[in-house]
Amino acid sequence: MTKETETLCLEHAEETQLKNQTPTQNASVESPEQTWVSNSGTEGELEELTPKELKERISFSDFLKRENHYVIKSGKWKKILCPFHHERTASFCVDDEACSARCFGCGWYGDIYDFVMEDRDLGFRDAFIHIAGKASQSPKAVGAKKPSKIAKRKGISLTKQETETIQAACKKLADHEHLWDRVASKRGWKPETIKKLADEGVLGWNQGALAFIYETGMKLRNWPHRDFLWEFGVPSVWRRGQIGEATEVFICEGETDAISLIDKGLVDDPTIAVIALPSASTITEDLSILVSGKNVTLCMDNDEAGERATEKLIELLEPVCASLQTFNFEEVA
Ligand SMILES: [Zn+2]
């Protein structure tokens, strides 16, 4: 082994140790004495490359295509469906320039070697040989499979009956002024804000309770308790449809905080979207894709759960947002 190869190996071991601080990362690195130049299986000059040179020879995303992953281009990122957790929307983001990847669903982080070691349960040397083998393939021989129908489907489809229940709930709230007053007076909101959100299709009235409408389901306030119950569907992002072309996105913890911001007139500007996570612990995997490239403000509560959520969101969103700031909600509420 040359001095250079040994240094590279040590560098890689150190990098990997740092990355190992993330909970899902457990790739093992073999001893620096290990030889990783392939003795068989790959052809010609690739056998002579150092790990760093091999990384420069094939981009991470090209490698993934050669592994039959369906690679989607998204700005500076490339995305695939994460192989380390179950998902329907791609949140495994690859940065070819840095030759690293991060999954915004399960938190996996690593480089191309970490990926192969974990994906194929290989040691470093065998991962090197595997990548060298892919790098020696002719690009024309590469065919990425299209994702299956289920992978292409975004989120969960509601049944016809569920959709009708939602429409009836929104109509009931929009049509009854005494209900806007009843909901608004408890929080000091303007009744028109409630009407506006009912017309928008994100607030309703069902079984004598306020209903929060998601693209993926309906959540009811559980009177007389202060908690909520999912009537049907699964948690996602409240007012997700508002993100669209907005350049500024405020992410609140819970719908009521979001309504308070909306009530203060924050959404009168179409470049601003106010959305909510159903709770501090419900951070859905596609959030990083939804707010990618936007200026994001996190408005979590000032308690332990809120602080944990803020930390997690910063880790998830900072690499993909144009800017990210936190905002103390209590100051304006
Ligand atoms: Zn993942």
Side-chain angles (χ1 to χ4, degrees), residues 82 84-85 103 105-106:
C82 179
F84 305 126
H85 82 280
C103 175
C106 68

Side-chain angles (χ1 to χ4, degrees), residues 5-20:
T5 318
E6 197 175 324
T7 312
L8 280 167
C9 171
L10 286 167
E11 272 173 12
H12 185 83
E14 278 163 20
E15 267 174 37
T16 309
Q17 268 166 16
L18 283 173
K19 288 170 204 154
N20 275 347

Side-chain angles (χ1 to χ4, degrees), residues 34-164:
Q34 180 85 39
T35 305
W36 24 57
V37 176
S38 163
N39 297 318
S40 62
T42 61
E43 294 163 48
E45 54 164 3
L46 284 166
E47 293 185 18
E48 306 303 323
L49 297 178
T50 65
K52 193 181 172 207
E53 284 165 348
L54 179 59
K55 261 184 174 180
E56 286 160 2
R57 193 61 65 93
I58 182 168
S59 75
F60 202 152
S61 62
D62 275 343
F63 170 79
L64 292 171
K65 279 181 203 160
R66 290 170 196 212
E67 291 273 88
N68 280 330
H69 288 280
Y70 186 69
V71 179
I72 307 159
K73 199 167 182 300
S74 170
K76 113 176 229 241
W77 299 83
K78 307 273 174 54
K79 289 172 188 165
I80 63 167
L81 288 171
C82 179
F84 305 126
H85 82 280
H86 177 75
E87 64 177 3
R88 289 172 172 166
T89 309
S91 51
F92 189 92
C93 297
V94 179
D95 182 347
D96 277 331
E97 241 169 73
C99 197
S100 66
R102 181 185 290 274
C103 175
F104 291 97
C106 68
W108 190 94
Y109 176 79
D111 71 2
I112 191 167
Y113 293 107
D114 299 320
F115 181 87
V116 175
M117 287 191 286
E118 182 137 345
D119 193 36
R120 297 188 166 262
D121 198 20
L122 297 175
F124 189 88
R125 181 179 182 273
D126 289 334
F128 177 92
I129 293 167
H130 180 76
I131 296 163
K134 291 287 168 183
S136 69
Q137 273 180 10
S138 150
K140 290 209 172 90
V142 177
K145 281 183 221 142
K146 283 262 180 192
S148 65
K149 268 199 177 138
I150 187 92
K152 273 167 110 178
R153 250 179 76 191
K154 285 195 173 175
I156 302 283
S157 299
L158 299 175
T159 64
K160 186 165 176 271
Q161 194 190 356
E162 287 165 347
T163 305
E164 284 168 5

Side-chain angles (χ1 to χ4, degrees), residues 155-156 166 176-177 210 215 276 309:
I156 302 283
I166 283 175
H176 291 86
E177 203 170 335
L210 185 61
E215 286 179 9

